[in-house]
Amino acid sequence: MAKYILKFSEIGATDIGKVGGKNASLGEMFNHLSSKGISIPDGYATTSAAFWHFLAHNNLTEPLKELMAQLDRKGYANLNEIGGKARDLFKTAKFPPDLAAEIISSYANLSNGPEIEVAVRSSATAEDLPEASFAGQHESYLNIKGEDELVGAVQRCFASLYTDRAIKYREDNGFDHSKIALSAGIQKMVRSDKGCSGVGFTLEPESGFRDVVHIAGVWGLGENIVQGTVTPDEFLVFKPSLRAKKRAIIRKNTGEKLLTMVYSDKGGTTINIETPEDLRRKFVLTDPEIIAVANWGLLIEEHYQKPMDFEWAKDGLNGELYIVQARPETVHSREHSITIHEFKITEKGSVLTTGEAIGSKITSGVARILHSPDDAEKLQAGEIVVTELTSPDWDPILKKAAGIITDKGGRTSHASIIAREMDVPAIVGTGNGTTQIKDGDIITVSCAEGETGTAYAGKLAWKETAIDVKNIQMPEHTQPMLIVGDPGKAFKLSFYPNNGVGLMRLEFIINDTVKVHPIALVKFDEITDKETKDKIEELTSQYPDKKQYFIDKLSQGVATIAAAFYPKDVIVRMSDFKTNEYANLLGGKDFEPIEANPMIGFRGASRYYNPRYKEGFQLECEAMKVVRNEMGLTNVKLMIPFCRTVEEGKKVINVMREYGLTQGVNGLEVYVMAEIPSNVIQAEDFAEVFDGFSIGSNDLTQLTLGIDRDSAIIADLFSEQNKSAKEMIRMVIEKAKRMQTKIGLCGQAPSDYPEFAQFLVEQGIDSISFNADALIKGIGNICSAEAKLSQHIAQAFLQKSLTN
């Protein structure tokens, strides 16, 4: 006789047909990973046999088949009616006494004393397969206590097999309704309502990048993450550093966490309360806890041999962490194509709202303001849903949407997950989308401009390019590299054909993430403006030492890019703001001089040893030490910009040594930008000080031709193709080759002008760095140049042979 109850200790991965994917996974982990240190609350599950017994006891099989036969499979106009009738059949059914007795007996054994609180979770027998996830389709009930409550919760779980969203999901994925059973998992309750909880992915959920664990968390129950009710904290952990027991947390973002979900006084129900201000500012997990959860994620992934997503919880009563669920990751695990679809907006319009970008696409269409799933009939296929937040009840509606915009939620909210699964752009956490966008407006949704997604008024123009990476031929001799500044794009860009990052600008991270002038953090008390001081206090509220704020934010930004391209070289250029740009940072006006021509003023190397900025440069160095020495990202090389003299170069090298960054130690290489005529004229001398050159063609052209490249009046005179500018480039490459020093170039010209790429290849340059949107064209130009050069050499050799 088939068993109605199986303990977790009796369940394994092969039991999906008996207890569904969710419960099979819990049993598998309980039996095989508990011994490796993963804490998994004990429990048991009703089997598929129990579900069929429930149906047979109430003669429900045929009535359910008849109802499903009446379903409108074209427009699903009667989905709500059919689903409601199906659920009513379950709700009015009588629970089989023998099954109830087994559930209660197992509950008593689990409690082993006074009755305990349990979670009752639904697990469909075709659930959580790599090719189809039923996640969120069925109901779960938390904080259930007592025999009657427990049996009632199991019955409600059975009924949830026929939620509207579950019916539609099975239709979309070709499942026969009559062949799917529902298993109820009964698990000891983790009191995360008094602690915190969240989700994790053993890859980066946006790009599918495999070398990180992504963790998100909120105070209280984790439903607020799934529903997108709040913006969670987010953490990224780099797997190679984690395995090497290095400092592995490469990114920490504080979410707003405005609400905390807790249990109400009524069993099985929950309520949201406002999160206290001090907890909003505080991370839900400490660094050791983040590492513990990430290590568990690694163990889970290694056991299942595939990317996984999992749910974790921290019990607020005993302070212990637990894994309460795990399933195969279903978006990127299905992807086999290595075609890059590049989207680039080519027209700008009026900004309606901004938020976190999900995906990297652009779309336009009619904006449809929806306040609940009851508004479903208002949405036409191809329109853009604009709403406060979404939940699994929205799934049938969102299938018709061309894009999604929500007021609330973060990168792991329900709207984000659905957007990725449907491969449509979404902007989440706008805060004001439903008020700034009017129902019926034509809008453009752009997620192709970094981590920030933007909704523009009207239908704007954009360009889409499909690139099959398999068909891209890489050059034989000249390395194509990337120019990167935005950590938010790093994981996606890592899939592009490249030999690493030839120029990583710190300015984007300082502007976008740090926001504060480093000296304003060193000399906070000297800031004169109260409003500025208040803003800095707010940004640095978690840091007793404000300098540490700069070090953490900068090191995490650099580490994200370095991790994305590891172990390929990532050449990080130390800060190269001009004085007017530094002054725009918070607190900057108090510490920056006013210059008539900042472009050729107090910038680059001259700042690093100058008392005006030396302490700021120390913070930059401290951040680079964290990245290289503590995180283990030794693929980071450092580069000094705008170094006017050899003596100045030596001063900077000495200052770096003073701050703990010594050339050659731990493989550290320090490059210099070749962007001033003096760098070219004295290239041999600079090569004695530095490990490599990177030609900054914009500044070198500017200073060779005496053109202010910020001046619109003489902009037409600026050209890297100018004979004098090219001669300067030829000279510095020739000298670098003679000194056996590496040399590359960063700039747009080699992608725009094939003849310029030809010129660089002929000179024997080692690498050329491109912005992402120019990389593919640039690679093509390099390959053509190399082919022509080879042909020219072959012809010359043949001519010489014939002459001889």
Side-chain angles (χ1 to χ4, degrees):
M1 179 179 172
K3 296 182 74 171
Y4 293 154
I5 299 292
L6 287 174
K7 300 175 186 176
F8 283 177
S9 60
E10 300 174 300
I11 298 171
T14 58
D15 293 316
I16 292 176
K18 295 178 182 176
V19 295
K22 189 181 297 180
N23 289 332
S25 179
L26 279 170
E28 179 76 10
M29 291 192 297
F30 185 83
N31 288 304
H32 297 282
L33 296 179
S34 296
S35 60
K36 295 185 178 181
I38 299 182
S39 299
I40 298 152
D42 197 3
Y44 60 98
T46 64
T47 63
S48 54
F51 182 77
W52 303 131
H53 177 49
F54 181 92
L55 294 190
H57 185 77
N58 291 280
N59 297 312
L60 295 183
T61 304
E62 288 307 315
L64 285 169
K65 282 185 179 180
E66 290 171 10
L67 275 175
M68 292 304 105
Q70 298 169 30
L71 184 65
D72 169 19
R73 286 175 166 81
K74 289 186 178 178
Y76 293 94
N78 64 349
L79 174 61
N80 185 264
E81 177 191 352
I82 296 296
K85 287 181 177 179
R87 293 190 295 276
D88 284 343
L89 288 176
F90 281 88
K91 291 173 184 175
T92 56
K94 301 294 183 184
F95 207 93
D98 55 340
L99 176 56
E102 287 200 34
I103 290 170
I104 291 167
S105 173
S106 297
Y107 177 53
N109 290 334
L110 188 65
S111 296
N112 194 25
E115 291 179 335
I116 61 170
E117 295 95 350
V118 292
V120 183
R121 305 180 192 275
S122 299
S123 179
T125 56
E127 190 174 13
D128 296 336
L129 302 177
E131 64 275 9
S133 170
F134 284 3
Q137 303 303 318
H138 312 109
E139 302 295 350
S140 294
Y141 299 93
L142 305 175
N143 206 34
I144 300 297
K145 185 177 181 180
E147 297 174 356
D148 292 341
E149 269 196 41
L150 175 57
V151 173
V154 172
Q155 185 162 350
R156 294 197 299 276
C157 280
F158 286 172
S160 76
L161 187 64
Y162 286 88
T163 61
D164 296 355
R165 59 184 183 266
I167 294 169
K168 180 66 164 60
Y169 187 88
R170 291 196 293 274
E171 289 289 328
D172 290 342
N173 287 276
F175 289 107
D176 184 338
H177 300 285
S178 66
K179 293 182 179 177
I180 305 294
L182 199 291
S183 163
I186 294 93
Q187 186 178 34
K188 285 182 178 179
M189 196 68 227
V190 177
R191 294 306 303 268
S192 57
D193 60 312
K194 296 183 179 296
C196 56
S197 56
V199 297
F201 297 84
T202 63
L203 45 63
E204 200 278 317
E206 277 304 306
S207 64
F209 182 78
R210 295 288 182 92
D211 268 350
V212 293
V213 179
H214 178 281
I215 298 166
V218 293
W219 296 114
L221 303 173
E223 284 301 300
N224 275 337
I225 289 186
V226 177
Q227 294 173 6
T229 314
V230 301
T231 304
D233 291 342
E234 292 186 320
F235 313 106
L236 273 182
V237 182
F238 187 46
K239 290 178 183 175
S241 296
L242 188 64
R243 293 187 180 106
K245 298 190 175 358
K246 293 278 189 179
R247 180 169 168 174
I249 303 168
I250 59 172
R251 190 191 296 181
K252 293 169 68 176
N253 290 336
T254 312
E256 291 176 337
K257 308 185 294 291
L258 296 176
L259 299 172
T260 299
M261 186 176 285
V262 298
Y263 300 126
S264 69
D265 295 334
K266 298 177 181 178
T269 60
T270 58
I271 56 171
N272 262 320
I273 60 172
E274 286 192 9
T275 307
E277 186 65 32
D278 61 325
L279 290 183
R280 292 182 193 179
R281 296 174 180 271
K282 184 180 177 183
F283 286 120
V284 295
L285 293 175
T286 64
D287 284 3
E289 288 171 337
I290 296 167
I291 293 300
V293 172
N295 271 316
W296 286 356
L298 268 188
L299 289 170
I300 293 168
E301 180 179 64
E302 287 166 2
H303 179 77
Y304 285 96
Q305 293 292 296
K306 64 186 68 170
M308 300 289 288
D309 77 61
F310 57 89
E311 295 180 18
W312 60 268
K314 181 180 178 181
D315 193 307
L317 299 179
N318 63 19
E320 296 295 319
L321 286 165
Y322 298 89
I323 295 292
V324 294
Q325 197 176 133
R327 64 179 72 87
E329 193 276 340
T330 58
V331 176
H332 295 286
S333 60
R334 293 198 301 257
E335 291 185 354
H336 302 291
S337 170
I338 46 174
T339 300
I340 296 171
H341 287 270
E342 282 189 344
F343 288 77
K344 184 178 182 182
I345 196 140
T346 56
E347 181 183 7
K348 288 295 178 76
S350 174
V351 175
L352 297 173
T353 189
T354 61
E356 290 196 69
I358 305 302
S360 57
K361 291 189 171 183
I362 302 173
T363 192
S364 69
V366 173
R368 193 60 65 202
I369 308 289
L370 305 179
H371 296 290
S372 80
D374 296 335
D375 297 334
E377 72 281 354
K378 297 180 183 177
L379 183 72
Q380 301 301 310
E383 292 184 337
I384 296 161
V385 169
V386 183
T387 188
E388 289 87 0
L389 58 91
T390 68
S391 67
D393 291 319
W394 286 78
D395 290 1
I397 306 163
L398 296 178
K399 294 285 173 67
K400 296 195 292 184
I404 304 168
I405 298 174
T406 66
D407 289 348
K408 300 175 182 178
R411 306 185 78 79
T412 51
S413 67
H414 173 264
S416 303
I417 293 166
I418 291 300
R420 292 188 198 104
E421 289 204 358
M422 297 192 309
D423 198 23
V424 299
I427 306 173
V428 299
T430 62
N432 61 3
T434 54
T435 56
Q436 294 299 108
I437 298 170
K438 294 180 181 175
D439 187 66
D441 280 357
I442 301 291
I443 65 171
T444 297
V445 176
S446 173
C447 292
E449 301 167 80
E451 285 189 316
T452 300
T454 304
Y456 296 99
K459 182 174 182 178
L460 304 184
W462 71 83
K463 180 181 177 183
E464 179 181 355
T465 308
I467 303 159
D468 188 346
V469 174
K470 289 185 297 185
N471 296 330
I472 293 176
Q473 177 190 349
M474 290 290 277
E476 286 187 38
H477 307 292
T478 313
Q479 293 188 328
M481 302 179 83
L482 278 159
I483 299 171
V484 182
D486 182 358
K489 293 182 177 180
F491 295 118
K492 178 191 171 188
L493 293 179
S494 72
F495 293 102
Y496 285 37
N498 69 84
N499 289 109
V501 176
L503 173 63
M504 200 229 112
R505 302 184 178 106
L506 290 188
E507 291 79 40
F508 182 94
I509 299 169
I510 295 172
N511 247 330
D512 196 63
T513 306
V514 179
K515 300 178 181 178
V516 185
H517 194 292
I519 301 299
L521 296 167
V522 175
K523 301 179 179 179
F524 179 72
D525 293 338
E526 295 181 23
I527 298 172
T528 54
D529 182 65
K530 183 182 183 303
E531 185 179 349
T532 298
K533 292 188 83 167
D534 289 344
K535 287 180 181 176
I536 295 173
E537 286 280 21
E538 184 177 352
L539 284 171
T540 61
S541 60
Q542 294 189 53
Y543 292 87
D545 180 357
K546 289 179 169 46
K547 298 190 292 295
Q548 193 60 44
Y549 165 81
F550 184 94
I551 295 166
D552 279 4
K553 294 296 183 184
L554 188 60
S555 63
Q556 288 168 21
V558 172
T560 300
I561 295 173
F565 291 90
Y566 186 85
K568 298 174 184 174
D569 286 351
V570 173
I571 301 174
V572 176
R573 187 182 70 187
M574 306 304 274
S575 67
D576 191 27
F577 284 122
K578 288 76 177 174
T579 49
N580 57 326
E581 294 166 338
Y582 265 118
N584 287 330
L585 294 169
L586 279 173
K589 290 182 174 63
D590 285 291
F591 304 103
E592 291 295 331
I594 296 173
E595 294 187 292
N597 192 345
M599 183 68 79
I600 54 172
F602 187 44
R603 64 175 284 200
S606 62
R607 299 181 68 93
Y608 302 157
Y609 56 87
N610 189 294
R612 280 179 176 269
Y613 188 76
K614 187 178 178 184
E615 289 173 287
F617 184 62
Q618 181 177 5
L619 298 187
E620 293 183 35
C621 291
E622 292 293 337
M624 296 308 105
K625 282 198 312 189
V626 169
V627 172
R628 285 183 45 81
N629 301 345
E630 296 182 28
M631 295 179 174
L633 292 160
T634 52
N635 58 322
V636 166
K637 298 180 177 181
L638 303 180
M639 184 156 65
I640 306 304
F642 225 76
C643 185
R644 293 173 168 94
T645 68
V646 175
E647 291 70 31
E648 187 169 64
K650 291 177 180 177
K651 280 185 181 179
V652 171
I653 292 293
N654 287 334
V655 170
M656 293 175 75
R657 186 185 302 116
E658 178 186 337
Y659 294 146
L661 289 171
T662 304
Q663 266 177 305
V665 174
N666 202 17
L668 175 62
E669 293 184 6
V670 183
Y671 282 31
V672 66
M673 292 291 293
E675 55 191 345
I676 305 170
S678 62
N679 302 144
V680 178
I681 294 165
Q682 287 190 272
E684 294 95 340
D685 297 325
F686 277 99
E688 296 286 351
V689 179
F690 295 98
D691 299 296
F693 293 101
S694 180
I695 301 167
S697 55
N698 286 340
D699 270 332
L700 186 57
T701 301
Q702 168 183 241
L703 296 172
T704 299
L705 299 180
I707 291 174
D708 179 355
R709 58 189 172 99
D710 282 349
S711 172
I713 300 170
I714 55 172
D716 59 323
L717 295 173
F718 184 93
S719 173
E720 292 154 305
Q721 295 272 61
N722 179 276
K723 186 175 181 180
S724 295
K726 287 175 74 174
E727 178 60 16
M728 295 297 280
I729 292 171
R730 185 200 65 76
M731 286 169 59
V732 74
I733 294 174
E734 187 271 327
K735 291 180 179 182
K737 303 303 284 185
R738 191 188 319 141
M739 295 294 292
Q740 297 185 326
T741 303
K742 296 174 189 173
I743 186 162
L745 180 140
C746 308
Q748 190 75 16
S751 57
D752 289 346
Y753 308 109
E755 63 273 21
F756 194 76
Q758 179 77 37
F759 160 71
L760 292 172
V761 169
E762 287 173 355
Q763 304 311 310
I765 199 160
D766 295 312
S767 66
I768 303 174
S769 299
F770 304 92
N771 287 306
D773 59 354
L775 176 68
I776 305 303
K777 187 179 175 185
I779 289 174
N781 288 344
I782 293 174
C783 287
S784 296
E786 288 191 347
K788 287 179 183 176
L789 183 61
S790 296
Q791 188 178 16
H792 176 74
I793 292 170
Q795 287 174 344
F797 180 77
L798 180 61
Q799 185 67 39
K800 185 176 180 181
S801 298
L802 291 173
T803 303
N804 291 339

